């Protein structure tokens, strides 16, 4: 349910690059592909901000750190 978003960011970036390169390979205008990606990122940020909530206190910080450490509570401390 929580994490630092690293894996999600990597997967999204990889897919954006892969899809963008594929589109250009098939004749899409690279400048328009970039503009489309920029618009998508802006909308994605809006959705993420709407669905996010601030981390409050040590317990929340520990929970995020533990999940980022592969659900290892000792490393997350």
């Amino acid at each position: 349910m929580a994490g630092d978003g690293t894996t999600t960011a990597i997967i999204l970036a990889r897919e954006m690059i892969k899809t963008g390169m594929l589109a250009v390979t098939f004749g899409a205008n690279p400048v328009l592909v970039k503009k489309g990606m920029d618009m998508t990122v802006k909308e994605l940020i809006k959705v993420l901000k709407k669905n996010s909530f601030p981390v409050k206190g040590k317990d929340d910080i520990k929970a995020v750190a533990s999940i980022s450490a592969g659900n290892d509570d000792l490393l997350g401390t």
Side-chain angles (χ1 to χ4, degrees):
M1 293 295 300
D4 65 2
T6 305
T7 303
T8 302
I10 291 169
I11 291 169
L12 287 172
R14 181 177 183 265
E15 287 305 309
M16 286 177 70
I17 292 167
K18 188 170 126 182
T19 303
M21 295 298 288
L22 186 62
V24 170
T25 299
F26 282 98
N29 181 325
V31 174
L32 295 178
V33 170
K34 170 73 167 81
K35 286 182 180 180
M37 286 183 178
D38 290 342
M39 288 174 29
T40 301
V41 168
K42 284 181 184 178
E43 290 302 313
L44 179 59
I45 289 170
K46 287 179 188 176
V47 170
L48 291 174
K49 283 184 178 183
K50 178 182 168 196
N51 292 311
S52 67
F53 54 90
V55 173
K56 297 177 184 172
K58 289 184 179 183
D59 288 339
D60 283 355
I61 293 170
K62 181 181 176 187
V64 172
S66 296
I67 291 169
S68 295
N71 292 321
D72 187 324
D73 287 336
L74 182 62
L75 287 176
T77 303

